[in-house]
Amino acid sequence: MSYVLAIDQGTTSSRAIVFRGDISIAASAQQEFPQHFPASGWVEHEPEDIWTSTIMVCRDALEKAGLGPKDIAAIGITNQRETTAVWDRATGKAVHRAIVWQDRRTADICAKLKGEGHEPTISAKTGLIIDPYFSGTKVAWILDHVPGARERAMRGELLFGTVDCYLLWRLTGGRAHATDATNASRTLLFNIHSGEWDDELLKILRVPRSMLPEVKDSSADFGDSEPELLGGSIMISGIAGDQQAATIGQACFSPGMIKSTYGTGCFALLNTGATPVASKNKLLTTIAYQLEGQRTYALEGSIFVAGSAVQWLRDGLKIIKQAAETGPLADQSDSTQSVYLVPAFVGLGAPYWNPRVRGALFGLTRNTGPAELAHAALESVCYQTYDLWAAMRADWPEAKSANVVLRVDGGMTASDWTMQRLADLLNAPVDRPMIQETTALGAAYLAGLAAGVYPEPAKFADNWRLEHRFKPAMSAATRERKLAGWARAVKGVLASDAGEGV
């Protein structure tokens, strides 16, 4: 039993990966599922689609690996965070589609909470800002808008859970209603200092306590799967939200270690150890993981546009046919030009949090062409990462003296040009790992740790393998000039503050 099955339930697809005891991959399977957009700014998933696609890929991965339930020591779950499901305790039937993390329908609820002066209390207890992104206001919306739901919830008939919690409930045939501390920390209902659901927060957000799952360590006994689902019962012993799972998969167990995941957007997490750091620079304070009752905290910054800037070059401007062309194209750019793209296509994320501004190009000349635009698009991701890193350093003074290395994963890290420029602008090494499936690996590790397949964090960190280290090679003068140009460009975009339709 030296195999672990990792469920990686994402926003657009469900995946399952079977990891061996040496963390190599035995087999994997993936399946997309439908997205629902019932109104502008609304995004929903059918919980049944999440469930059926998850079970399908688990079965497929086991079949591809030629393994049965007796070969699998444990199951680990990682999930799209903040997505919210409410279901009937007796039947398991959802009372409404799951409201996805991207959904903005609770903006009015959030504005009301801010207007009533609740943000300081909520931020102090949860480490989060009041935003539709998080789960708490989504639960309130479902209770208010599904006929009879609030009354049924008050009677204890309804359950709430993030995607991990919903999958666990289904996997165990309704025997386990639980989540881990990382997912709980993204709900606006959980006190990250006491490690408990908070009565004051529940009252402010009007969510009955009876709906809430038990909160456990990220590596714990969450129950056993129903035998008929996968041909036999398997222990479920690891759960973490996707960005926290990637942090674990990158073995960022020491304070000062930082990982950055580059997908459509970018999420950077800085391990701050046993101390939750309250951000003065609009970063989020979150739980990185909880092991043996001990919480480890992180500062988190999110960038809305990373890989999607390259998609814009391909699909919008049509100057490339595939993403891999951008690095070589950027390499041909005119070094005398200083073109900056501020990719605020959907506003700016951390550390600015301005949803109203829109993107802009600066420094265009008659000679500006596809190479310069590719250069600017790739560089914009590096500049935005620099902004997060600068905010983290300002929030956490120890970061200035820490021997910092950025560990990266996600699709964009395949671009050597981008990773080299990232190292140059951060003036710090950037490490790309051998295993890119860091999110699933994090879930597998948590499950395998509880099952005795994988060793304690320090020993597991020894398994982390470097594929390539990018070392800074840019002169200080060039770096400072480029960063100053970026700061001016961002300032120009923020000054425009143009709302939609203006």
Side-chain angles (χ1 to χ4, degrees):
M1 293 206 344
S2 59
Y3 295 89
V4 176
L5 175 63
I7 294 170
D8 183 355
Q9 204 299 305
T11 310
T12 58
S13 69
S14 300
R15 294 196 306 160
I17 301 181
V18 179
F19 286 91
R20 298 186 182 93
D22 63 0
I23 72 169
S24 63
I25 292 172
S28 67
Q30 182 166 354
Q31 185 178 314
E32 292 191 357
F33 58 90
Q35 310 289 304
H36 301 276
F37 308 100
S40 176
W42 292 27
V43 190
E44 295 177 350
H45 292 158
E46 192 60 65
E48 205 60 35
D49 290 340
I50 291 175
W51 168 244
T52 54
S53 62
T54 297
I55 283 300
M56 189 82 69
V57 294
C58 287
R59 290 171 179 164
D60 286 355
L62 289 175
E63 189 179 334
K64 283 182 186 174
L67 300 171
K70 287 190 169 63
D71 304 307
I72 306 298
I75 295 172
I77 301 172
T78 184
N79 55 290
Q80 47 165 319
R81 302 178 304 175
E82 297 94 15
T83 295
T84 300
V86 175
W87 65 93
D88 185 297
R89 184 190 291 270
T91 67
K93 186 170 171 51
V95 302
H96 191 274
R97 280 185 187 146
I99 302 180
V100 179
W101 60 273
Q102 298 157 315
D103 190 285
R104 308 300 292 174
R105 79 185 64 186
T106 64
D108 290 347
I109 299 175
C110 292
K112 185 169 181 283
L113 291 170
K114 287 180 182 178
E116 290 169 353
H118 292 305
E119 188 151 52
T121 299
I122 289 175
S123 290
K125 292 188 174 198
T126 67
L128 310 174
I129 58 175
I130 295 179
D131 191 89
Y133 180 27
F134 305 109
S135 311
T137 58
K138 300 182 199 299
V139 186
W141 189 94
I142 290 173
L143 295 182
D144 287 340
H145 288 81
V146 174
R150 188 164 286 284
E151 293 74 20
R152 293 183 64 202
M154 296 301 286
R155 292 198 298 268
E157 295 172 15
L158 300 184
L159 299 177
F160 150 69
T162 42
V163 169
D164 60 296
C165 178
Y166 175 73
L167 289 176
L168 176 68
W169 198 86
R170 295 291 297 262
L171 283 165
T172 60
R175 293 191 311 278
H177 184 222
T179 188
D180 90 301
T182 70
N183 280 293
S185 77
R186 312 296 294 189
T187 60
L188 289 178
L189 304 170
F190 188 74
N191 188 317
I192 63 170
H193 309 285
S194 66
E196 296 172 333
W197 300 117
D198 189 284
D199 285 326
E200 186 180 8
L201 297 174
L202 294 175
K203 187 177 177 185
I204 291 170
L205 285 147
R206 301 173 304 118
V207 174
R209 181 178 269 277
S210 61
M211 298 180 75
L212 302 176
E214 179 187 356
V215 181
K216 295 191 171 193
D217 284 351
S218 306
S219 179
D221 183 354
F222 288 93
D224 298 325
S225 68
E226 289 284 88
E228 65 271 17
L229 293 173
L230 299 171
S233 187
I234 305 173
M235 177 173 72
I236 302 152
S237 55
I239 292 179
D242 55 9
Q243 299 308 322
Q244 284 94 336
T247 305
I248 293 161
Q250 287 278 35
C252 291
F253 295 120
S254 303
M257 294 186 76
I258 178 171
K259 77 91 202 174
S260 199
T261 300
Y262 294 93
T264 302
C266 160
F267 292 86
L269 268 77
L270 168 72
N271 183 327
T272 63
T275 310
V277 176
S279 178
K280 297 181 178 67
N281 295 280
K282 299 185 179 176
L283 300 175
L284 305 175
T285 309
T286 198
I287 295 175
Y289 51 86
Q290 183 174 305
L291 299 174
E292 298 182 346
Q294 296 298 308
R295 287 180 294 283
T296 295
Y297 296 92
L299 279 170
E300 177 176 323
S302 39
I303 295 165
F304 298 149
V305 175
S308 50
V310 176
Q311 289 170 339
W312 174 66
L313 295 178
R314 185 191 66 199
D315 304 335
L317 299 186
K318 301 194 183 330
I319 62 174
I320 56 167
K321 287 194 170 69
Q322 54 191 28
E325 295 170 32
T326 46
L329 189 58
D331 219 16
Q332 298 163 25
S333 63
D334 177 0
S335 61
T336 66
Q337 293 189 50
S338 295
V339 180
Y340 291 92
L341 167 65
V342 182
F345 303 145
V346 288
L348 284 171
Y352 306 103
W353 288 108
N354 188 325
R356 297 178 303 278
V357 297
R358 291 296 174 260
L361 277 160
F362 294 85
L364 300 181
T365 73
R366 280 290 302 273
N367 288 331
T368 300
E372 287 72 35
L373 294 179
H375 185 291
L378 294 181
E379 216 167 41
S380 74
V381 178
C382 306
Y383 287 129
Q384 290 179 100
T385 306
Y386 175 84
D387 286 343
L388 291 184
W389 172 227
M392 287 173 171
R393 289 177 64 160
D395 278 338
W396 194 60
E398 289 94 323
K400 287 174 184 165
S401 58
N403 186 18
V404 174
V405 175
L406 178 67
R407 290 188 170 178
V408 295
D409 53 81
M412 278 198 91
T413 62
S415 167
D416 287 1
W417 192 95
T418 310
M419 295 302 99
Q420 182 58 52
R421 186 51 50 98
L422 185 59
D424 288 341
L425 291 172
L426 292 181
N427 196 27
V430 169
D431 283 0
R432 187 169 62 193
M434 294 288 285
I435 292 185
Q436 283 285 301
E437 303 293 351
T438 53
T439 305
L441 177 59
Y445 171 67
L446 291 168
L449 176 65
V453 176
Y454 299 129
E456 68 273 15
K459 286 227 176 96
F460 176 71
D462 293 339
N463 289 323
W464 187 90
R465 290 287 176 269
L466 178 71
E467 185 266 331
H468 190 82
R469 168 168 283 190
F470 298 88
K471 296 177 182 173
M474 185 180 280
S475 73
T478 302
R479 181 184 308 112
E480 284 163 24
R481 175 177 57 76
K482 291 176 83 64
L483 290 170
W486 167 255
R488 284 193 300 273
V490 171
K491 198 172 176 183
V493 165
L494 292 171
S496 69
D497 203 23
E500 290 181 49
V502 174

